[in-house]
Amino acid sequence: MDTLMLSRLQFAFATFIHFIFVPLTLGLSILVAVMETKFVRTGDETYKRMAKFWGKLFLINFALGVVTGITLEFQFGTNWSRYSTFVGDIFGSLLAIEATAAFFLESTFLGVWIFGWNRLSPKLHCTSIWLVAFAANFSALWIILANGFMQHPVGYVIRNGRAELSSFLEVITNPYGWNAFLHTVTGSWALAGFFVIGVSAWHLLRKQHVDFFTKSFRIAAGFTLVSTLLVAAVGHRQGNIVAEVQPAKLAAMESHWETQKNAPMYLFAVPDPDNEKNSIEIGGIPSLLSLMAFNDPAAEVKGLKDFPAEDRPPVTLTFSAFRIMVGLGTAMLILAVLAFIARHHPEEASHKLLKAFLWAIPLPYIALQAGWAVAEVGRQPWIVYGIMRTKDAVSPIAAHQVGISLAAFFVVYILLASLDIYLLAKYARSDPH
């Protein structure tokens, strides 16, 4: 493998592992804040125990997630130095705001929350976890706005061979970035909801701490259904934006080869990129792709054949990841509705349903990873869409240097991910004292 492929694998692997931690942090911080708010408003000690129990799981996930995220920013200098030289003025400013404003706010008030149980009034202590939840999601905003520039660059001019900032306002109001942010955080909230529902189901199956986990289940069920509905709505809007600004990605998501109006969508298809067609197409629904992409059944959808071969993203991987995301999203919506129906007496739900909630914990993780695969693989061959190719962004370093660091990343990150899963499983099964 050459330096480019090894650098791609390293960044993709590090991001994949890091994003195991991130979504649970974003969503669980809000759920813990809701639980503590209920304690402050009602005085019910069960809600205080809930905030501490789920807060402990949040802290485990947060601590290990921070470690895996730090190295990603260093890779922009070590592996993607030409990219950093080209867009550093723009990309760097967004990352700097994320670190100095959002992350420091989150870290500071997380410390207040951990050590302030017996030092602050209940209201002030509750305020600290709300600030943690706000800062965690605010942090995600700046990261995704930076990614939004890579997906749909705005607010820049090319000067002296570099992309220089011309309008900071355009960069931070980039519609692609904002919608991607909403799509990501609502998906993360749904993931946290399924996590609480699944863990609660595990305890309810064993008839232990029924009141505690019934209340946990009830709070998570409403939160999860709302989040899952929002994911679907925002996801549809994201599809509209992709159709407008990245038509090649949309064509790859649907393996759509011929430009046509009233474009159909196939329930099942097998891409054949070598022959620029689908080898199998089953269940074509007339005009559905046009309708989903442009909210107009007669709209024209550009096909992959209208793009030069060197400008097309990897079709099979983008298409497959999109199908996985949509399929799991549909399953999550069905399960969220069932959880909401069962929320008042989940302890009386059938064992099969409670086991389904338990085994559903990995589904949003897979769906979110697939969604990011669509976003990043579908953007190729560009690192900054339309103005810089990925092959031009890699650092001028030897392949063996990246190979060594990739091997080190693989070992350390697998250990961290395994430790996270082990600790979450251990403390999720513990008694909520």
Side-chain angles (χ1 to χ4, degrees):
M1 291 186 190
D2 60 12
T3 301
L4 174 61
M5 179 53 71
L6 288 169
S7 293
R8 277 176 153 159
L9 288 175
Q10 180 170 301
F11 198 84
F13 176 75
T15 305
F16 175 85
I17 297 295
H18 179 57
F19 208 67
I20 292 175
F21 303 94
V22 172
L24 185 60
T25 297
L26 299 182
L28 198 53
S29 60
I30 296 176
L31 281 168
V32 172
V34 170
M35 292 166 184
E36 188 166 350
T37 301
K38 281 186 167 288
F39 162 65
V40 172
R41 294 182 64 181
T42 66
D44 186 339
E45 288 287 331
T46 302
Y47 291 116
K48 183 178 181 180
R49 290 168 54 221
M50 286 166 61
K52 288 190 173 184
F53 176 82
W54 297 108
K56 183 187 298 179
L57 300 178
F58 165 76
L59 291 174
I60 292 168
N61 195 68
F62 175 85
L64 292 169
V66 168
V67 176
T68 60
I70 291 172
T71 60
L72 286 173
E73 298 196 15
F74 285 110
Q75 287 185 55
F76 290 121
T78 57
N79 297 62
W80 305 100
S81 61
R82 286 171 173 153
Y83 164 80
S84 297
T85 300
F86 186 66
V87 298
D89 289 0
I90 304 165
F91 200 78
S93 62
L94 299 170
L95 296 186
I97 293 172
E98 185 274 334
T100 56
F103 182 69
F104 282 172
L105 179 67
E106 180 184 11
S107 303
T108 300
F109 281 94
L110 186 58
V112 172
W113 187 76
I114 293 171
F115 299 107
W117 279 104
N118 298 317
R119 295 178 173 85
L120 298 175
S121 70
K123 286 184 178 178
L124 277 178
H125 191 264
C126 184
T127 301
S128 67
I129 190 63
W130 274 113
L131 287 171
V132 170
F134 166 76
N137 287 270
F138 191 51
S139 175
L141 171 64
W142 294 104
I143 297 293
I144 296 175
L145 284 178
N147 182 266
F149 179 82
M150 299 168 71
Q151 302 283 351
H152 178 50
V154 294
Y156 73 97
V157 293
I158 300 295
R159 186 183 296 135
N160 301 320
R162 302 171 65 242
E164 296 184 359
L165 188 65
S166 63
S167 172
F168 187 65
L169 182 63
E170 280 189 56
V171 172
I172 63 173
T173 57
N174 185 345
Y176 189 105
W178 272 95
N179 208 77
F181 164 71
L182 293 174
H183 196 37
T184 302
V185 295
T186 51
S188 301
W189 299 348
L191 180 147
F194 275 105
F195 179 81
V196 173
I197 288 172
V199 172
S200 299
W202 187 87
H203 287 276
L204 293 174
L205 277 166
R206 286 155 181 77
K207 304 296 182 189
Q208 55 191 26
H209 314 291
V210 171
D211 178 60
F212 181 96
F213 286 106
T214 294
K215 288 179 176 175
S216 297
F217 187 104
R218 189 176 303 149
I219 290 173
F223 182 76
T224 304
L225 179 58
V226 171
S227 300
T228 308
L229 289 170
L230 287 173
V231 172
V234 176
H236 173 69
R237 176 58 188 150
Q238 189 68 10
N240 296 154
I241 295 174
V242 168
E244 181 182 345
V245 303
Q246 293 185 333
K249 178 189 285 185
L250 176 78
M253 287 160 60
E254 293 295 341
S255 192
H256 178 69
W257 295 96
E258 305 286 348
T259 297
Q260 62 186 117
K261 295 182 178 179
N262 301 107
M265 181 179 287
Y266 293 93
L267 297 179
F268 181 79
V270 177
D272 181 3
D274 291 339
N275 295 300
E276 298 187 325
K277 66 175 187 178
N278 295 329
S279 57
I280 300 174
E281 291 179 339
I282 297 174
I285 302 175
S287 303
L288 184 58
L289 178 54
S290 294
L291 179 64
M292 296 298 289
F294 296 100
N295 298 321
D296 177 2
E300 180 180 277
V301 180
K302 200 170 180 180
L304 284 161
K305 287 184 178 179
D306 276 7
F307 299 94
E310 65 272 20
D311 288 349
R312 299 174 192 167
V315 176
T316 303
L317 182 53
T318 307
F319 172 85
S320 302
F322 181 64
R323 286 292 191 278
I324 290 170
M325 180 187 70
V326 173
L328 292 180
T330 304
M332 287 163 55
L333 182 57
I334 295 170
L335 287 165
V337 171
L338 293 174
F340 187 75
I341 293 171
R343 70 189 185 285
H344 290 303
H345 298 288
E347 74 281 9
E348 296 176 3
S350 70
H351 277 215
K352 286 184 179 179
L353 186 57
L354 290 174
K355 286 181 179 178
F357 292 141
L358 174 61
W359 288 107
I361 291 176
L363 298 187
Y365 281 96
I366 300 170
L368 284 168
Q369 296 283 3
W372 273 109
V374 173
E376 301 304 300
V377 176
R379 191 188 62 229
Q380 302 303 316
W382 306 98
I383 192 167
V384 183
Y385 196 76
I387 62 173
M388 187 181 202
R389 293 180 183 272
T390 306
K391 67 181 179 60
D392 298 325
V394 72
S395 299
I397 52 178
H400 76 272
Q401 293 176 295
V402 187
I404 293 170
S405 60
L406 174 59
F409 269 102
F410 183 83
V411 172
V412 174
Y413 273 45
I414 289 296
L415 284 173
L416 287 171
S418 301
L419 181 61
D420 182 57
I421 294 170
Y422 168 76
L423 290 175
L424 286 178
K426 176 182 178 180
Y427 287 99
R429 289 179 294 183
S430 64
D431 291 342
H433 295 301

